[in-house]
Structure formats: C-alpha cells, structure tokens
Amino acid sequence: MIPPIEALPLNKQQTLLDDIAMQLRVQGYSINAEAVPASLAHALYQQAKREQLRPAGIGRQQSHAVDRSVRKDSISWITAESAAGAEWLAWADSLKVALNRQLLLGLFSFESHFAHYPPGGFYKKHVDAFKGEANRVLSMVVYLNPQWRDEDGGELVIYLEDGSSVKVAPRFATLVTFLSEEFPHEVLPAKADRYSIACWFRMNSSHAGRVDPPR
Ligand SMILES: O=C(O)CCC(=O)C(=O)O
Ligand SMILES: [Fe+2]
C-alpha cells in the first residue's frame, strides 16, 4: 500500500533550508519561526546570559565608535570555545553550504555575536553593508527569548523597497535572514531583556596577501 503523503517522513532541517532559500530568492529576506533546534537555542540562551558583554560600537576597525544614541546593546563575539558556540558555528556552516548550493551566493566566512538589549535598548535604522564595499552579503538574526510577549516591544523592522515594512517579534528560535545591502532595518525599543545572535556571511575578501582579513 502507498502511504498517504502526510505519513512520509519529513526532514525538518531540509524543509527549513529549502524555505529560507525560496524566500531569499523571491523577496530577498526570510522569516522562520522555530528554525533553530530548541536544544541548541536553549544552550545559546544560557551561554548568552553567562557572557561578558561589552557596549556595541558602530563601523569596523578604525571607524569603530561607540554611540549610544544609535544603538544601545551589548555584544560578545561567538567562538567555538564554548560547547554551545561550537555547535552554533557548525549549524551556521551547514546553512552556508546549503545556501551556496541553492542560491550561488558565494558565502565564504561567518561572524556572529550575542547581543543583549536591556529594557530601553534599541538600534536605529541602518544597513549592515554598503554597496561597493560589499563583503557582508547575508545578515542573519536569531532570537533567544523564551518568554517574549507582544507588549515587550523590541521588534525588528525591515524596510522594503516599496515603502512598506515588516515587523518581527524577537521570539525564541525565530530566524531572520536578509541580503545585507538591500534592507535598512531597525530594532524598536525593548521593554524587557532582549537576547539575540546577530550574524553576517561574507564573501571572500582576500587581498594583498591577507586571507580574508578578520574584522
Ligand atoms: O537584533 C536584531 O533584530 C537586529 C540587530 C541588527 O540589526 C544588527 O546587529 O545589525
Ligand atoms: Fe543590522
């Protein structure tokens, strides 16, 4: 007997990857609830709370500056030193491989940091990468807030080309991706502690004998 379609085993991870790729192809961004495996998201949430976070700056290297009127969050870059960090980096790498295969984006390296927005924390409208200086190709955010309520605010607002916008509540294990150069976005003031991971996939920007120089 042929089993009904519903009974066929679904590879949840593959379905997720296909869905992210399809949304990116069609609209340039993707929003997926319950995307990160719950056990990994819980481990990352515990790790985020243990981290020594520092006030986030704006820009990279020489232009790095801390301006609390533009963003008010604290961050800590993720490394494979913690078990949760290692598992997270492996998960992100498998996502990179799948997206490169499906979308030919040429994603090469990955950087990610925990972020904590305290009550009153925000990040004003900005873009993550500028045309011409293109090395950040794809931005990604994962939210780590098990008890987030609508009244806690802190939504990510993604501004679309047609003048409309999309709001995303920072709920546990929700994953958002978007093309870094294409979408201005902002974080509205949070009214509760808001934990997340912000990430970027970059192209290979090796030059002058330095292999893909770090940030
Ligand atoms: O936490 C978010 O929703 C977005 C954070 C962000 O835009 C950034 O760190 O560049
Ligand atoms: Fe951003």
Side-chain angles (χ1 to χ4, degrees):
M1 202 187 93
I2 299 168
I5 288 288
E6 297 79 12
L8 292 172
L10 254 187
N11 179 336
K12 209 179 157 208
Q13 194 68 15
Q14 190 56 46
T15 308
L16 171 73
L17 295 171
D18 290 347
D19 192 57
I20 293 171
M22 188 270 290
Q23 291 188 55
L24 283 174
R25 194 181 294 119
V26 171
Q27 60 193 20
Y29 66 91
S30 74
I31 301 166
N32 290 82
E34 293 175 31
V36 177
S39 59
L40 174 56
H42 274 291
L44 290 165
Y45 176 50
Q46 297 308 327
Q47 184 66 32
K49 288 193 293 183
R50 272 197 298 270
E51 288 286 317
Q52 291 282 349
L53 301 148
R54 295 187 306 125
I58 303 157
R60 298 160 76 86
Q61 292 169 333
Q62 303 90 327
S63 59
H64 188 91
V66 175
D67 182 345
R68 308 295 278 171
S69 69
V70 174
R71 66 185 293 189
K72 198 163 167 241
D73 63 328
S74 294
I75 67 160
S76 168
W77 293 95
I78 301 182
T79 69
E81 277 160 38
S82 68
E87 199 187 332
W88 162 248
L89 293 173
W91 192 83
D93 196 65
S94 63
L95 184 63
K96 180 183 87 172
V97 170
L99 292 179
N100 277 341
R101 196 179 293 137
Q102 294 207 30
L103 297 174
L104 308 176
L105 282 173
L107 307 177
F108 179 73
S109 64
F110 179 73
E111 55 191 349
S112 59
H113 65 60
F114 291 112
H116 170 234
Y117 293 71
F122 58 83
Y123 195 162
K124 294 251 172 84
K125 188 172 172 180
H126 64 281
V127 284
D128 288 346
F130 295 99
K131 293 201 167 86
E133 298 166 28
N135 59 3
R136 283 177 168 179
V137 176
L138 190 70
S139 300
M140 183 162 89
V141 196
V142 179
Y143 300 109
L144 304 174
N145 307 296
Q147 311 290 344
W148 202 259
R149 305 164 307 165
D150 288 344
E151 56 267 38
D152 294 330
E155 295 96 342
L156 170 69
V157 184
I158 303 174
Y159 294 94
L160 308 184
E161 220 172 28
D162 66 2
S164 65
S165 61
V166 182
K167 256 190 198 182
V168 188
R171 292 189 200 293
F172 191 69
T174 293
L175 181 81
V176 178
T177 65
F178 53 92
L179 297 173
S180 301
E181 289 182 355
E182 305 296 329
F183 296 96
H185 54 281
E186 78 173 297
V187 179
L188 299 179
K191 298 192 183 113
D193 288 295
R194 178 191 193 270
Y195 287 93
S196 61
I197 299 175
C199 341
W200 299 273
F201 292 100
R202 299 197 288 144
M203 301 185 308
N204 187 351
S205 54
S206 304
H207 61 85
R210 295 172 69 209
V211 176
D212 195 36
R215 54 183 182 273

